[in-house]
Amino acid sequence: MTVKAKKHLGQHFLKDENIAQKIADTLSYEGYKNVLEIGPGMGVLTKYLLEKEITTYVIEIDTESVEYLQANYLNLASRIIEKDFLKYDLKEIFNKEPFAVIGNFPYNISTQIIFKTLEMRDQIPEFSGMFQKEVAKRICSKEGSKVYGILSVLTQAFYNADYLFTVPPTVFNPPPKVDSGVLRLSRKEDYNLPCDEKLFFKVVKTAFQQRRKTLRNSLKTFNLSDNLKANVIFGKRPEQLTVSQFVELTQLIEKDSK
C-alpha cells in the first residue's frame, strides 16, 4: 500500500533516504526526551527518528497516512496522533514536558506552524524541518535583507535561526514547483523579552505592514509623543532594525504611553 499525495493538504512526499536522514540529524536530541514529527506521510523521516535515543510522536491529519503508519510502524502505533497540529492542544500528550518539533512541513501551513511554535516556546527548545526555500530564507534572514520581516524578527526574538541546506524538487513525489530549504531553530538561553511581549508583537507587525515607510509614519496609530518621534530610531525603516533594536523600540513606546 502507498499513500496518494493530496493536493488540499499540501502533501509532497520526500522519497530521498539521504535527505531524510540528514533532516533527522539536524536536532541535538539534548535537554528533552520527546520529539514530535508533523505530517509524517509514509514515514521516510520517521524511521530515522525511531533510531534515535528519543521517544518519537507523530501528528498526522491524513487518515490514509495514519493507516499506513499503523500498518508499517508497529512500535509507533500508540504514539500516532490523528489530529490537526494547528488546532490540537499538545499539553494532552506532553503535559508541561519539553519536546522538539521536526518535519517536512506542508507549505500551505508552514508559517502557521512557526507561529504555534512561538506560542509554545516554553516547551519547544529545538525545532527543525523543511519549508519552501523562500520561507526558510525569510525566517533566517537578518536586518537589511529584502526578505527580512515579521517572521524573521518574531522568530529570532526567541530562537537562533540557521538555514542549513537547500533541497531540489526532484526528491519529492509529486515534485513541488519550487526548491525547499531546511532550517533549525535553537531556543536562546534567555528567551524572555525585557519588554511587554504583546506590545512587541504589535509593534513588529504594524511596522512591517508598511515596510517602505519610516517608523515615524508606519507607527502613527500608537499616538506617540512628538518628543519620542524625534528619536533617531523613528527615521529608520523596519528592515533596518535588528531584533534587539525592536525590543528597544518597544521599551521606548511603553515608557511614552505611561
Side-chain angles (χ1 to χ4, degrees):
M1 165 194 177
T2 57
V3 179
K4 192 173 181 295
K6 294 161 196 68
K7 202 173 180 180
H8 73 282
L9 293 176
Q11 287 176 329
H12 295 277
F13 294 129
L14 181 63
K15 56 184 185 180
D16 186 305
E17 298 285 334
N18 289 334
I19 289 171
Q21 180 149 31
K22 221 172 149 184
I23 294 171
D25 289 344
T26 56
L27 293 174
S28 71
Y29 301 99
E30 286 170 13
Y32 50 87
K33 294 174 187 155
N34 302 304
V35 63
L36 177 69
E37 182 188 358
I38 298 172
M42 286 184 283
V44 63
L45 169 60
T46 319
K47 67 166 160 299
Y48 293 105
L49 296 175
L50 291 169
E51 290 173 1
K52 305 283 183 188
E53 296 283 314
I54 195 100
T55 305
T56 300
Y57 289 80
V58 300
I59 188 161
E60 175 61 76
I61 200 171
D62 176 27
T63 311
E64 208 185 348
S65 293
V66 168
E67 285 170 7
Y68 179 91
L69 293 167
Q70 283 170 336
N72 291 278
Y73 293 88
L74 300 177
N75 55 343
L76 180 71
S78 63
R79 300 190 305 282
I80 299 170
I81 309 158
E82 192 175 349
K83 297 282 182 188
D84 178 341
F85 171 77
L86 297 177
K87 295 176 183 163
Y88 183 61
D89 182 2
L90 289 159
K91 287 198 166 38
E92 289 194 23
I93 301 291
F94 300 114
N95 203 347
K96 292 182 178 174
E97 290 281 307
F99 61 96
V101 170
I102 197 167
N104 165 24
F105 304 119
Y107 290 164
N108 53 352
I109 60 161
S110 58
T111 52
Q112 291 158 279
I113 288 171
I114 286 284
F115 281 122
K116 177 151 180 182
T117 298
L118 295 182
E119 278 170 28
M120 297 195 68
R121 58 188 177 270
D122 284 342
Q123 274 184 270
I124 304 176
E126 222 176 2
F127 174 107
S128 71
M130 184 141 52
F131 292 80
Q132 191 172 326
K133 182 184 175 183
E134 63 174 59
V135 176
K137 286 278 190 192
R138 195 182 307 149
I139 292 165
C140 300
S141 67
K142 296 289 180 204
E143 70 281 355
S145 154
K146 275 185 184 158
V147 296
Y148 181 71
I150 294 171
L151 212 50
S152 334
V153 175
L154 296 184
T155 306
Q156 292 174 43
F158 307 105
Y159 290 88
N160 296 311
D162 297 299
Y163 184 90
L164 301 177
F165 55 91
T166 301
V167 180
T170 47
V171 301
F172 295 95
N173 183 23
K177 293 186 171 68
V178 291
D179 280 346
S180 300
V182 175
L183 62 78
R184 178 180 53 233
L185 305 179
S186 315
R187 194 176 59 198
K188 293 180 172 179
E189 272 186 39
D190 182 8
Y191 60 95
N192 292 310
L193 298 184
C195 64
D196 179 323
E197 284 181 6
K198 270 192 185 149
L199 184 61
F200 174 78
F201 273 70
K202 194 177 168 191
V203 167
V204 173
K205 286 177 179 175
T206 309
F208 279 106
Q209 272 160 5
Q210 298 174 302
R211 63 181 300 138
R212 287 162 192 264
K213 293 188 173 180
T214 63
L215 295 166
R216 197 167 286 126
N217 290 317
S218 61
L219 298 179
K220 270 184 175 160
T221 51
F222 286 87
N223 296 323
L224 308 170
S225 67
D226 290 341
N227 190 24
L228 180 61
K229 283 190 287 193
N231 187 308
V232 63
I233 200 167
F234 284 91
K236 294 188 171 194
R237 292 194 309 280
E239 75 260 23
Q240 295 175 291
L241 265 62
T242 62
V243 174
S244 56
Q245 283 175 312
F246 266 108
V247 171
E248 278 170 44
L249 177 64
T250 306
Q251 289 169 332
L252 290 170
I253 292 172
E254 242 180 306
K255 271 190 202 147
D256 191 57
S257 63
K258 281 176 181 164

